[in-house]
Amino acid sequence: MNHSMSNTLEFGALLERWSQGDRAALDQLLTSLYTEIHAIAVRQLNHERQSNLRPTALVHEAYLRLAGLNQIRLQDRTHFLSMAARVTRQALVDEARRRRATKRDGGSPVTLSDTNIGDLDQAYDALDVDELLTELERYDAQAAEIVGLRVFGGLTITEVAESMVLSVATVNRRWVAGKVWLMRELSR
Amino acid sequence: MNGGFDRGRAFQVFEQALSLDGSSRARYLDESCGGTDAALRAEVESLLETAGKGQPQTSLLLAPPARAVENLIGECCGRFRLVEFLGEGGMGIVYRAERTDGINQVVAIKLIANALGERGREHFLRETQLLARLEHPAIARLIDAGVEAGRAWIALEFVPGRPIDAYCDDNHLPLRARVQLLVNLARAVAAAHGLLVVHGDIKPANVLVTADGSPKLIDFGIAAVLQDHGAAHSQTTDIGRLFTPHYAAPEQTQGVPLTVATDVYGLGALAYRLLTGVPTYRDCVEPLRYMMTAVAQNVELPSRAALATTPDALSRAGRHRVDALRGDLDAILCKALERDPARRYSSAKDMQEELIRYLVHRPVLARAQTMSYRLGRFVWRNALAVTLVGLLLASLITAGALVAWQARRVAVAKEMALRRGEFLENLLKSANPDNGRRDVSVATLLDAASRELDVDLGNEPLVEASMLGLIAQTNTALSRFPEGMAANDKQMAILTKFGGSEVDIGQALTARGQLLRGEGKWTQAEVPLREAVRLLRRSGTPADLCAALHLLGITLAHTQHEEEAAALYFEEIAIESRGDSQLQQERMEAYDALSVMAFEQGHYAEAVSYNRQALDLARRSLPSDSLKLLGIEMTYGTALVNTHQAAAAESVFREVIAKQTQLLGAGHHDTLLTQLSLADALIELHRDTEAAQISLDAANQLDAMVGPENLYTLMAWQEYGSAACNDRQEDAGLAALRQMEAIRKRILPAGHWLIYRASASIGICQLRAKRYAEAESTLLAAVAGLESVRGANFRRTQEAYRALRDLYTAKGLPDQAALWAAKIQL
């Protein structure tokens, strides 16, 4: 309990420093976010005896652990979610690679299922998703970023718009295109 | 570049094509891929086809992903054997089970997901025993509970029914039938509360409706039992297991212990879903988002949620549904769904009774207490304020959009504008009139609006000017003159600098005149109003012109230019109303103003006839609680006082005050003015103590509200001074009167009748104090003045005659007394 409490306090202070323009704070934020999300993912994968994860749930739990409920200002939330989306992608891909490499669980993939990628009852290989997003990034970095924020951070259209300083209509249009593309590639 | 085409290019073309349809899409594809790049075209077509299939929306509403469920069929829990898998909920999995001992009893067995330790086990068994005593026809009974291999289970009465939301929707149950179901549920919940059991997780999935249409609550009290031990197992990763989005009370998402208020909220949330068709905070599907939102924002007004989500909103049935929610049901649901538990219904029984009141068309209590009622009554019934606040909100949004149109980040700014509109609306909604902060809410709104303008509209001067105009007018309506003046100053500056139209300037000048009048600066008001009339005669609408004419008339009347004032009023009356209700109201007000002016001139017969005209028009076309009608009723009371019917006047004034208090509040400017008239009537009736008290109170409030140099504040001191003197408090009375006279001399033109009236009151007071020498000279001077500007018939002149008669009688000079007595009319 003490551990997570001090995490919360520290995290709040880092957010504050970062919002005041301290770049070093951002690195620390990302590091602690990564550690936390990776740990949650690993625990879920082990504990639930399954290979399926919901990125949004990971982010939300990390949020609860790091930011607490009331310590964080509402406008920092979008920052948090967009940071978390990037970090989550990294953490999941790292873990998936590790599992495949060690051949534990017979090299079974880490899969994702979430409301922002297709149906909840369908699961997609985290490495496939990552690879396709990297490909999309080459053609169209903005579309890839939008899809990444939605899929790995569970951000709403409005939050993505706010975070990337784009109009809601643009985000919506680009998201639809990006998502359709991703889903079709995944189902190939 | 695999597959013989550029995949990046394909994505680009696909996205572009998505935003086109029909022939323009085909044309675009022809242009982009031409006949030359068949592979590219095929790829884009295939993407478009995928997009065309769309994504099933229902998946967004699903709970966490279904996990592989262990097959436990055939296993035993106590004396039951599991026979069929029924489903999985937040707490665990549910099976249908039968008795193993041959007795024919079917139960639903719920296997709790979390393992229990030894202490948890004891607690669980003890608590569930208590729950087993809960018996009610609308509550599924808890039959047994146990722990098998560290895994807790409960056996519940098996209810062959369907979740209440599906039941209502599939059967197209009409609104009132749904409310009736809710009444039954609230009754059951109230009964359980009587046994100190809280449900803690009221939601559609926990209310089953059987084939005969009777609802049953399942899992009663289980949430609390588990919550007590949930803490030990908070390692569970899914926060969604701790509460149910859309139905959990805000405090519940924060882990606060369950209470009666939690269930009231749950009933409210269930009602919201059943009556509007959508759950509360419908966009907040994710637990975290729900938690953040439910804590920070009020639910969307049910009728609005229904409107937004009724696909046939424009059809008769759709409209009917929305209309049925508006008002009482909106108020009931909002009260049950208050974020602060203390402001909800204090029990399920209260809520049940309230729903019954709705069903039998009795007034509901929620409307008397929530924002939508009292603040609503204040704002919405005040015709002026309602229009202005409404316009203000609408214009803020429009203004934001206009600015956005030019701004660099177009749509972001538009979003911001919409959000600002929501913000202001929320501000208005969250105001709590119960705390006596009635006016503060609108005031806060206005100040927030002014600040927003400072920040956001700098590069759209004319939009800003019109917004400032609305703010100024609304402030005027609320008697917030300095704030209004500040907005008007800015507005005028912008209009002058950026070349506003004649109409804009005319309106702004009219508003300025009204503000100056409110501040008591009559002479200063004349200049802008004359200019406004000039401009608006040339290019304003009839309504604009009427408003300016009326204000200029009042101003001139106050500065004793009564003939010119009358001419303006008649011009106002002559403007063809053509059935326009606003112009008709202007006409009433013109008659009313003519009537008031005639009273002040001592032309009583004329005054009464104008008052009759105004009253006829108003009673015919205005509702009984219209503020304009009340104003005219007040003039009617004045007519009664001036025609020696003070007793009848008293009851008219009291009635007007009661309505004004209800509509505007006790401390409102207009209510205070009616109190002054009441005090005047009471003085006529020799009830001086009462009159002194009422007018002192009004004087202090007006002083604080509009300052000491205001004509109405001075009128209050006039009434107070006179009443106090009559009531044997000559010193206090005299002091008030002298100060009042000094200010009138300063702010009114020389020879104004109000100055003479002040002197006459001082003379009367000196007479009461037996200071005859002073009284004599004061009264003689006053009478000379009053006779010359108001005539001998004037009520105040007559008062002075009577005082002089009494004075000379007291001094033992009967001849002189007789001289003055001869002038007194009976």
Side-chain angles (χ1 to χ4, degrees):
Chain A
M1 207 71 236
N2 266 339
H3 171 70
S4 77
M5 176 63 81
S6 71
N7 265 357
T8 300
L9 290 178
E10 186 197 346
F11 195 81
L14 282 173
L15 263 181
E16 181 68 30
R17 272 172 50 203
W18 175 49
S19 67
Q20 283 164 6
D22 181 348
R23 299 294 302 177
L26 178 59
D27 290 340
Q28 276 179 270
L29 276 174
L30 291 174
T31 310
S32 59
L33 204 50
Y34 180 93
T35 316
E36 195 66 43
I37 287 178
H38 186 254
I40 298 168
V42 169
R43 204 188 54 235
Q44 281 194 19
L45 288 169
N46 294 338
H47 180 78
E48 310 264 330
R49 295 182 192 289
Q50 60 179 16
S51 61
N52 201 19
L53 291 171
R54 289 182 75 205
T56 308
L58 296 182
V59 168
H60 286 179
E61 192 176 344
Y63 181 91
L64 282 180
R65 285 173 183 277
L66 288 174
L69 282 183
N70 303 315
Q71 283 84 353
I72 195 166
R73 283 178 305 158
L74 225 54
Q75 59 264 47
D76 287 338
R77 207 168 60 95
T78 309
H79 289 320
F80 177 94
L81 292 175
S82 54
M83 268 196 303
R86 297 176 176 105
V87 167
T88 304
R89 178 173 166 193
Q90 195 57 53
L92 293 187
V93 167
D94 288 351
E95 184 57 21
R97 290 220 174 93
R98 200 181 60 81
R99 278 180 188 244
R100 212 162 251 189
T102 57
K103 295 276 177 196
R104 217 177 69 181
D105 301 324
S108 71
V110 171
T111 57
L112 312 176
S113 70
D114 214 331
T115 48
N116 283 345
I117 31 170
D119 293 336
L120 271 173
D121 49 13
Q122 275 175 293
Y124 303 95
D125 190 316
L127 293 178
D128 287 350
V129 174
D130 176 65
E131 197 177 305
L132 286 165
L133 277 184
T134 311
E135 187 191 335
L136 182 58
E137 219 167 277
R138 285 203 300 273
Y139 319 139
D140 190 329
Q142 191 185 61
E145 167 136 15
I146 291 171
V147 174
L149 289 174
R150 295 274 290 153
V151 167
F152 287 103
L155 273 77
T156 62
I157 299 284
T158 319
E159 282 164 350
V160 173
E162 205 175 295
S163 154
M164 296 179 64
V165 198
L166 290 169
S167 79
V168 168
T170 301
V171 171
N172 203 27
R173 180 168 48 77
R174 311 230 60 202
W175 156 245
V176 170
K179 180 185 179 182
V180 168
W181 183 85
L182 178 67
M183 296 310 297
R184 211 209 30 162
E185 291 301 316
L186 281 169
S187 62
R188 261 191 215 261
Chain B
M1 305 292 134
N2 46 8
F5 59 90
D6 179 341
R7 282 162 59 85
R9 171 80 183 138
F11 180 73
Q12 265 179 15
V13 175
F14 159 61
E15 182 174 352
Q16 193 64 39
L18 257 187
S19 57
L20 304 169
D21 46 41
S23 59
S24 50
R25 179 183 282 184
R27 201 161 47 240
Y28 172 74
L29 290 178
D30 287 344
E31 283 164 17
S32 314
C33 314
T36 56
D37 203 341
L40 175 67
R41 174 137 194 175
E43 168 74 2
V44 173
E45 298 268 17
S46 135
L47 279 166
L48 285 169
E49 194 191 329
T50 312
K53 284 181 198 150
Q55 295 87 36
Q57 284 299 305
T58 47
S59 70
L60 294 176
L61 296 172
L62 284 179
R67 297 184 172 84
V69 178
E70 332 164 41
N71 186 354
L72 297 172
I73 288 172
E75 308 262 326
C76 286
C77 291
R79 58 203 154 117
F80 300 99
R81 180 182 297 117
L82 308 181
V83 294
E84 185 194 356
F85 175 73
L86 291 177
E88 184 182 18
M91 277 182 260
I93 41 180
V94 190
Y95 281 87
R96 190 163 61 83
E98 292 168 355
R99 292 276 288 252
T100 50
D101 51 12
I103 295 174
N104 188 17
Q105 183 183 25
V106 179
V107 297
I109 290 218
K110 189 162 272 202
L111 291 149
I112 309 300
N114 293 336
L116 294 177
E118 191 50 37
R119 281 191 51 209
R121 182 188 133 95
E122 274 171 34
H123 177 86
F124 175 79
L125 294 174
R126 199 168 51 239
E127 291 293 311
T128 44
Q129 265 176 16
L130 289 175
L131 292 180
R133 296 205 308 239
L134 193 60
E135 279 196 63
H136 189 278
I139 295 176
R141 255 180 36 127
L142 188 143
I143 291 164
D144 201 355
V147 179
E148 215 81 39
R151 190 164 196 181
W153 57 268
I154 47 178
L156 292 160
E157 174 186 343
F158 179 75
V159 181
R162 285 191 305 146
I164 190 167
D165 50 347
Y167 173 85
C168 287
D169 294 349
D170 295 351
N171 293 317
H172 303 287
L173 224 57
L175 190 81
R176 292 178 66 80
R178 295 176 189 223
V179 175
Q180 185 58 57
L181 273 177
L182 288 163
V183 168
N184 294 345
L185 287 173
R187 186 178 291 127
V189 173
H193 287 178
L195 294 169
L196 304 180
V197 178
V198 172
H199 189 294
D201 195 16
I202 297 177
K203 59 182 175 185
N206 278 341
V207 182
L208 301 179
V209 183
T210 55
D212 65 353
S214 47
K216 267 195 199 263
L217 280 150
I218 59 174
D219 284 358
F220 218 107
I222 311 295
V225 172
L226 295 179
Q227 191 194 39
D228 289 347
H229 277 271
H233 297 271
S234 60
Q235 290 286 21
T236 33
T237 47
D238 203 341
I239 58 166
R241 284 203 189 151
L242 301 178
F243 60 85
T244 311
H246 309 303
Y247 298 96
E251 73 273 13
Q252 217 174 336
T253 67
Q254 311 289 299
V256 169
L258 303 176
T259 65
V260 167
T262 320
D263 279 354
V264 169
Y265 192 95
L267 281 170
L270 182 67
Y272 195 102
R273 163 63 185 87
L274 297 185
L275 303 183
T276 66
V278 289
T280 62
Y281 305 103
R282 59 181 187 276
D283 296 329
C284 304
V285 182
E286 291 291 340
L288 178 76
R289 189 175 305 286
Y290 178 75
M291 171 161 59
M292 303 289 306
T293 314
V295 169
Q297 286 172 21
N298 292 332
V299 292
E300 186 180 15
L301 206 59
S303 57
R304 204 168 306 161
L307 184 64
T309 52
T310 307
D312 54 348
L314 295 175
S315 74
R316 255 183 80 190
R319 297 275 345 154
H320 181 73
R321 184 184 173 83
V322 171
D323 286 346
L325 281 167
R326 203 168 277 152
D328 286 350
L329 287 174
D330 272 346
I332 295 174
L333 264 51
C334 285
K335 184 163 175 65
L337 294 168
E338 283 278 2
R339 281 178 293 148
D340 176 0
R343 296 184 58 191
R344 294 178 202 145
Y345 291 105
S346 55
S347 66
K349 187 161 192 300
D350 283 358
M351 186 169 168
Q352 175 212 339
E353 285 167 359
E354 187 87 320
L355 289 169
I356 291 174
R357 272 190 287 276
Y358 167 78
L359 284 176
V360 301
H361 304 288
R362 300 262 311 279
V364 302
L365 301 180
R367 297 195 74 183
Q369 284 147 22
T370 58
M371 58 87 194
S372 43
Y373 191 70
R374 287 182 67 190
L375 175 69
R377 277 180 83 83
F378 167 67
V379 175
W380 305 131
R381 298 270 179 130
N382 182 330
L384 185 58
V386 66
T387 322
L388 293 175
V389 172
L391 277 175
L392 190 67
L393 289 172
S395 316
L396 269 176
I397 294 165
T398 323
L402 263 176
V403 172
W405 180 59
Q406 292 190 328
R408 197 159 44 89
R409 292 171 185 164
V410 180
V412 173
K414 202 170 189 170
E415 275 291 304
M416 299 295 287
L418 280 168
R419 213 168 299 160
R420 180 165 54 234
E422 279 167 22
F423 163 72
L424 289 172
E425 209 174 25
N426 282 337
L427 209 66
L428 196 62
K429 274 196 278 183
S430 63
N432 175 10
D434 288 345
N435 297 345
R437 297 188 300 145
R438 186 194 309 267
D439 290 3
V440 176
S441 56
V442 183
T444 319
L445 165 79
L446 288 169
D447 293 341
S450 311
R451 273 197 305 278
E452 294 275 354
L453 286 181
D454 278 347
V455 177
D456 276 4
L457 292 174
N459 52 2
E460 252 320 289
L462 293 179
V463 176
E464 185 180 1
S466 76
M467 303 302 306
L468 285 165
L470 284 167
I471 290 174
Q473 279 176 289
T474 312
N475 273 311
T476 311
L478 298 171
S479 312
R480 289 169 28 110
F481 303 119
E483 289 86 351
M485 196 49 105
N488 186 265
D489 280 342
K490 275 197 226 166
Q491 185 194 10
M492 292 299 308
I494 293 172
L495 289 175
T496 318
K497 186 169 165 198
F498 293 96
S501 70
E502 282 196 344
V503 177
D504 287 346
I505 296 177
Q507 285 174 341
L509 286 167
T510 309
R512 188 171 191 80
Q514 194 170 11
L515 280 160
L516 287 164
R517 172 194 164 215
E519 288 188 320
K521 296 172 181 160
W522 297 98
T523 37
Q524 291 178 40
E526 193 181 323
V527 179
L529 287 172
R530 277 193 192 282
E531 179 62 10
V533 166
R534 191 182 69 82
L535 291 173
L536 295 171
R537 272 199 183 119
R538 208 158 56 196
S539 45
T541 65
D544 287 341
L545 177 59
C546 274
L549 286 170
H550 192 81
L551 280 167
L552 181 57
I554 293 180
T555 307
L556 291 173
H558 275 292
T559 46
Q560 273 190 159
H561 297 90
E562 279 112 351
E563 276 178 36
E564 197 188 343
L568 294 170
Y569 292 144
F570 284 120
E571 183 181 344
E572 191 185 351
I573 289 168
I575 288 175
E576 185 54 62
S577 71
R578 289 198 197 91
D580 179 324
S581 65
Q582 198 189 335
L583 290 177
Q584 273 173 2
Q585 293 192 13
E586 294 283 355
R587 178 179 293 186
M588 284 169 216
E589 287 191 308
Y591 277 119
D592 190 45
L594 279 167
S595 173
V596 171
M597 191 165 79
F599 280 123
E600 292 185 346
Q601 286 177 289
H603 304 154
Y604 296 118
E606 213 178 303
V608 167
S609 105
Y610 288 138
N611 177 244
R612 177 84 5 106
Q613 305 237 41
L615 215 49
D616 282 351
L617 282 172
R619 284 187 179 152
R620 225 179 313 143
S621 61
L622 296 176
S624 70
D625 55 357
S626 143
L627 291 172
K628 285 208 167 73
L629 176 59
L630 290 179
I632 295 168
E633 298 271 9
M634 184 177 134
T635 312
Y636 174 60
T638 309
L640 292 170
V641 175
N642 282 300
T643 49
H644 311 288
Q645 304 168 69
E650 182 193 352
S651 62
V652 170
F653 290 138
R654 287 203 189 273
E655 215 170 292
V656 172
I657 289 172
K659 284 185 186 158
Q660 284 175 329
T661 306
Q662 196 186 1
L663 297 172
L664 299 169
H668 192 276
H669 192 259
D670 294 358
T671 316
L672 295 175
L673 296 192
T674 316
Q675 280 179 10
L676 293 183
S677 298
L678 173 63
D680 190 37
L682 291 172
I683 292 174
E684 286 294 311
L685 295 167
H686 305 292
R687 281 153 61 188
D688 298 302
T689 318
E690 234 176 302
Q693 211 168 7
I694 291 173
S695 49
L696 178 61
D697 180 50
N700 281 323
Q701 292 195 53
L702 283 167
D703 205 314
M705 189 184 305
V706 291
E709 302 206 345
N710 179 287
L711 282 183
Y712 296 117
T713 310
L714 295 173
M715 199 181 294
W717 289 120
Q718 164 93 61
E719 298 297 341
Y720 167 69
S722 304
C725 283
N726 292 348
D727 198 31
R728 294 168 197 280
Q729 304 168 49
E730 292 89 355
D731 290 345
L734 211 48
L737 291 171
R738 279 197 193 287
Q739 204 177 345
M740 183 269 298
E741 184 196 34
I743 298 175
R744 275 188 182 167
K745 278 184 175 160
R746 197 163 66 235
I747 67 170
L748 289 171
H752 196 285
W753 71 271
L754 281 170
I755 299 173
Y756 298 126
R757 188 190 166 197
S759 310
S761 299
I762 290 172
I764 293 170
C765 202
Q766 288 164 336
L767 169 65
R768 301 263 187 273
K770 303 196 169 31
R771 286 147 69 172
Y772 298 131
E774 287 167 64
E776 185 176 5
S777 67
T778 317
L779 280 170
L780 287 174
V783 143
L786 283 170
E787 276 180 333
S788 75
V789 297
R790 297 283 95 153
N793 285 346
F794 189 52
R795 185 172 146 222
R796 305 302 174 186
T797 317
Q798 290 281 317
E799 263 177 21
Y801 290 157
R802 283 198 294 274
L804 281 164
R805 177 199 62 194
D806 295 348
L807 172 73
Y808 289 116
T809 311
K811 283 175 80 172
L813 297 167
D815 291 353
Q816 304 245 38
L819 212 60
W820 293 106
K823 297 186 175 221
I824 297 170
Q825 294 165 347
L826 291 176

